[in-house]
Amino acid sequence: MNNLNELRAKSLQQYKAKLNKPRIVVGLGTCGIAAGGEKVMKAIKEDVANRKLDVDIDITSCIGMCFAEPVIEVSLPGKASVVYGGVYPDNVGKIIESHLVNKAPLKEMAEIQISGDNAAYEGINVMEKAPYYEKQVRSVTSRLGRTNPESLEDYLATGGYEGLEKALSMDPQAIVDEIKKSGLRGRGGGGFPTGMKWQFVRNSVGDKKYIVCNADEGDPGAFMDRSVLEGDPHAVMEGMMIAAFAIGADEGVIYCRAEYPLAIKRLNMAIEEAEKRGIMGKNILGSGFSFKMRIKAGAGAFVCGEETALLNSIEGKRGMPRVRPPFPANAGLWAKPTCLNNVETYANVPFILRRGGDWYASMGTEKSKGSKVFCLTGKINNTGLCEVPMGITLREIVFNIAGGIQDGKAFKAVQSGGPSGGCLPTEQLDLPIDYDSLIGAGAMMGSGGLVVMDETTCMVDVARFFLNFTQLESCGKCTPCREGTKRLLEILTRICDGKGVPEDIPTLERLGRVIKSSALCGLGQTAPNPVLTTLRYFRNEYEAHINDKCCPAGVCTALATFTITDKCAGCTACVKACPAGAISGEVKKQHVIDRAKCIKCGACVDKCKFQAIVKA
């Protein structure tokens, strides 16, 4: 233990030294890199070198404000650090000139400041009081955007491996009891009590036990696990090591989808560094506990997010779910007792060990304790990552944190839980977000994806989109999922094409219930949720498609009609764009569309500069 204390003291000294210099930190998570963060980093280095400034230049991960990427943080010793958004190579020099040379932040580009009480700048939102963050809590995400994820020293300087150190001095059963006390439930979607799962594996008899991390995040619009792995890889590893000591395992596997190359890179760097410093490997910190870990890159099959399909994939078999029982706690990886949790679940564990189960249980609701990380996507102003206490309402997330709906349009629905979740309408905006409330409303927590939709969204088309995804991702092993999702998709497609019949609605409901009750795994059991919730809350849209042969949102092309209004200037651009020759009219006079000829391609709408063509 003394070696770790010495390393931590040295790391803290190095970390403080970095903060005591003029500093620029560039956000290089996947979102930052995609937005051009690497080019910004290059421009910063060149500008600093040309000015011959003594500046510490570092990297970090996503701070959560994906809507503002590329993002950089600039700080002067003893003053608040300022986070700038929308930074590109051509405005880097302006920021450096203003903030580092003239000692005055460039307020028009400043998003937030991260400061102490006496170091704040006027006119720039302090992080905790900024609209995006004031409703949030930061535990799992506390290091994201604040430390260098490729630096073990940064991790140690901010409390890293203190939880493991404490765990190694405890009785393994006491660790399990602390997790039970915390009320932590699996953050992968099922919400099974984590302490109870650990207890099952601990009680299982076996000469070999495994710890597995499910990092196969496949939901459209979800990037929680990716962000945590990229921004705080040591936290996930520490949580897995604590779990391993508690249940008696000596080997772990992180199953991460191959589409997350940056996460895999940083995990491998973290494992190598931990082994080099004696934090992972044989006789960890002189405790007698040994543990090794490896990464398994998954091939991107959505079904491998199901725990038994994931285990099959690790073993080199086709990723298809197993019949249960036996459960993984008794016969998991290589038929040995296996503890399997997701990224966010493990990342919570070090904080619980450091601060205690009572601290974690003080957040959230009676049956859903702690905080939850969500991805915010769709028709909102602030797309990004947020961590909120359980029990917060959908309204607070959508209109406070996410900044409301784009272009002032009306909110229509939010999809919670990815393709396996449900669509909740305006009436459910004040629903508290916890496992039981969401299930009662027909949705689910899922891994934490929230897709927000506005008034221009067709809910029948949304149900078709998600069914198309789950049908393609079905492994085909069980008939209810393989055939049932195909039939659901066929009916939805027929309705969107204007060929629906009144009998389709009860057929969708009946078929959805059958699939939910008879499918082998979670993919099939939850696949009908988007259909059933849109039928529950937006039945009128289905009826309009079937009975009136119209799409109220004007999305379904087969049901759309195009009309040229009196805004038409007679420029003939639409005539030239129409591939069917359906538009006619004289120059400088209002044109008309022959609906019998119109193939509803929308080319005329795209070409009209006067917004004179209406799709309805």
Side-chain angles (χ1 to χ4, degrees):
M1 300 293 182
N2 289 333
N3 290 337
L4 184 60
N5 289 335
E6 293 172 7
L7 183 59
R8 183 175 290 117
K10 184 178 179 181
S11 298
L12 186 58
Q13 185 179 15
Q14 292 175 349
Y15 187 68
K16 287 181 177 178
K18 287 199 298 185
L19 301 182
N20 287 329
K21 286 184 63 177
R23 195 160 181 255
I24 303 177
V25 183
V26 183
L28 291 182
T30 291
C31 54
I33 293 171
E38 291 175 325
K39 293 179 181 178
V40 171
M41 171 65 88
K42 181 181 177 183
I44 288 170
K45 289 180 177 178
E46 290 175 354
D47 194 278
V48 167
N50 291 337
R51 297 175 191 268
K52 298 180 180 179
L53 299 176
D54 182 18
V55 175
D56 180 74
I57 301 174
D58 207 352
I59 70 166
T60 189
S61 60
C62 173
I63 197 171
M65 299 189 301
C66 302
F67 61 90
E69 293 286 1
V71 165
I72 69 169
E73 180 183 338
V74 183
S75 60
L76 293 167
K79 297 292 288 183
S81 60
V82 176
V83 176
Y84 294 99
V87 181
Y88 295 97
D90 59 359
N91 54 30
V92 159
K94 188 163 61 171
I95 295 172
I96 292 175
E97 176 78 20
S98 179
H99 198 144
L100 294 183
V101 177
N102 298 329
K103 316 299 183 189
L106 193 64
K107 291 184 179 180
E108 62 264 31
M109 290 186 65
E111 294 286 343
I112 56 170
Q113 59 178 315
I114 305 166
S115 67
D117 293 337
N118 300 319
Y121 295 104
E122 290 185 9
I124 305 174
N125 269 329
V126 176
M127 183 179 188
E128 291 77 13
K129 297 179 181 178
Y132 190 73
Y133 290 104
E134 64 180 346
K135 297 283 185 178
Q136 295 193 43
V137 297
R138 286 176 71 83
S139 54
V140 168
T141 59
S142 60
R143 292 189 187 90
L144 272 62
R146 308 300 309 123
T147 59
N148 184 337
E150 299 179 4
S151 167
L152 174 60
E153 287 73 20
D154 277 20
Y155 186 68
L156 291 171
T158 52
Y161 291 111
E162 288 182 7
L164 175 64
E165 190 174 6
K166 180 180 179 181
L168 293 177
S169 67
M170 297 170 64
D171 179 78
Q173 182 58 51
I175 298 172
V176 176
D177 291 340
E178 198 68 27
I179 298 300
K180 287 180 180 177
K181 185 194 296 184
S182 74
L184 176 65
R185 294 172 65 172
R187 295 301 194 247
F192 192 83
T194 303
M196 188 181 298
K197 179 181 283 190
W198 289 18
Q199 190 70 65
F200 289 153
V201 186
R202 176 170 168 76
N203 293 344
S204 294
V205 178
D207 58 342
K208 177 81 173 179
K209 294 181 182 180
Y210 291 97
I211 290 287
V212 176
C213 176
N214 183 349
D216 188 61
E217 183 176 54
D219 292 4
F223 48 92
M224 301 78 57
D225 291 351
R226 189 203 75 209
S227 297
V228 173
L229 290 172
E230 290 176 1
D232 203 5
H234 284 282
V236 181
M237 291 160 46
E238 184 180 1
M240 292 177 68
M241 293 166 72
I242 292 169
F245 182 70
I247 68 164
D250 64 356
E251 188 173 347
V253 181
I254 300 178
Y255 187 92
C256 184
R257 56 179 40 237
E259 292 93 335
Y260 288 176
L262 184 60
I264 292 174
K265 172 194 168 185
R266 289 179 176 168
L267 279 168
N268 279 321
M269 291 174 66
I271 291 171
E272 182 180 349
E273 191 68 13
E275 290 175 341
K276 179 181 175 181
R277 301 302 181 91
I279 299 172
M280 184 183 296
K282 294 183 179 180
N283 190 25
I284 297 171
L285 304 178
S287 65
F289 169 60
S290 298
F291 184 77
K292 62 180 180 180
M293 184 182 296
R294 67 184 177 92
I295 312 296
K296 166 68 175 177
F302 181 65
V303 72
C304 285
E306 195 279 334
E307 60 180 10
T308 60
L310 183 152
L311 295 174
N312 273 345
S313 183
I314 293 175
E315 293 176 3
K317 302 171 185 174
R318 186 175 180 182
M320 302 177 81
R322 303 172 182 175
V323 176
R324 294 176 295 180
F327 292 92
N330 301 113
L333 188 61
W334 309 112
K336 302 294 184 180
T338 301
C339 177
L340 200 157
N341 289 115
N342 90 318
V343 169
E344 188 182 340
T345 308
Y346 285 125
N348 271 295
V349 170
F351 293 98
I352 293 171
L353 263 289
R354 281 171 56 199
R355 302 179 184 179
D358 289 333
W359 160 78
Y360 194 80
S362 68
M363 292 187 288
T365 64
E366 182 181 354
K367 295 183 179 180
S368 298
K369 304 294 186 182
S371 62
K372 179 74 187 77
V373 181
F374 285 99
C375 289
L376 309 176
T377 59
K379 302 294 183 69
I380 49 175
N381 290 308
N382 301 335
T383 56
L385 193 77
C386 70
E387 183 177 2
V388 293
M390 289 284 197
I392 192 172
T393 65
L394 286 168
R395 185 183 299 278
E396 289 175 293
I397 291 181
V398 172
F399 290 98
N400 290 94
I401 298 173
I405 310 303
Q406 290 176 350
D407 302 321
K409 289 187 168 61
F411 170 88
K412 189 169 190 177
V414 59
Q415 171 83 357
S416 170
S420 301
C423 298
L424 302 178
T426 305
E427 307 89 84
Q428 298 289 349
L429 274 174
D430 294 312
L431 184 78
I433 293 182
D434 60 57
Y435 290 99
D436 302 316
S437 297
L438 287 174
I439 290 173
M444 61 186 291
M445 183 79 69
S447 56
L450 291 176
V451 182
V452 180
M453 302 162 222
D454 67 13
E455 60 193 89
T456 65
T457 305
C458 170
M459 302 311 297
V460 184
D461 183 62
V462 165
R464 178 175 64 167
F465 170 81
F466 284 113
L467 249 295
N468 183 62
F469 178 84
T470 50
Q471 200 281 319
L472 288 171
E473 294 291 344
S474 173
C475 75
K477 184 172 183 177
C478 74
T479 302
C481 182
R482 182 185 68 244
E483 300 298 328
T485 57
K486 181 69 173 175
R487 300 290 86 77
L488 284 176
L489 180 59
E490 287 174 350
I491 296 171
L492 289 170
T493 300
R494 188 168 66 241
I495 293 173
C496 289
D497 287 344
K499 301 174 183 176
V501 295
E503 293 76 21
D504 285 338
I505 291 178
T507 301
L508 287 170
E509 292 175 322
R510 184 173 64 254
L511 185 53
R513 290 193 296 267
V514 170
I515 297 169
K516 284 179 68 72
S517 63
S518 58
L520 175 61
C521 80
L523 187 153
Q525 292 162 7
T526 57
N529 283 347
V531 182
L532 296 177
T533 53
T534 50
L535 279 168
R536 177 176 173 180
Y537 298 117
F538 302 96
R539 181 178 291 260
N540 62 313
E541 291 201 23
Y542 282 84
E543 292 171 344
H545 280 69
I546 293 170
N547 300 329
D548 303 330
K549 302 303 178 187
C550 77
C551 174
V555 171
C556 298
T557 302
L559 296 173
T561 56
F562 293 84
T563 303
I564 300 178
T565 69
D566 57 10
K567 291 182 180 180
C568 177
C571 69
T572 74
C574 57
V575 176
K576 297 172 184 176
C578 180
I583 303 177
S584 61
E586 297 180 24
V587 177
K588 296 185 179 182
K589 291 186 178 181
Q590 184 176 346
H591 287 38
V592 294
I593 297 175
D594 185 342
R595 292 179 180 173
K597 293 182 180 179
C598 178
I599 60 173
K600 303 175 182 180
C601 65
C604 55
V605 177
D606 296 334
K607 285 292 182 179
C608 182
K609 298 178 181 179
F610 303 96
Q611 299 180 331
I613 305 177
V614 177
K615 178 183 176 184

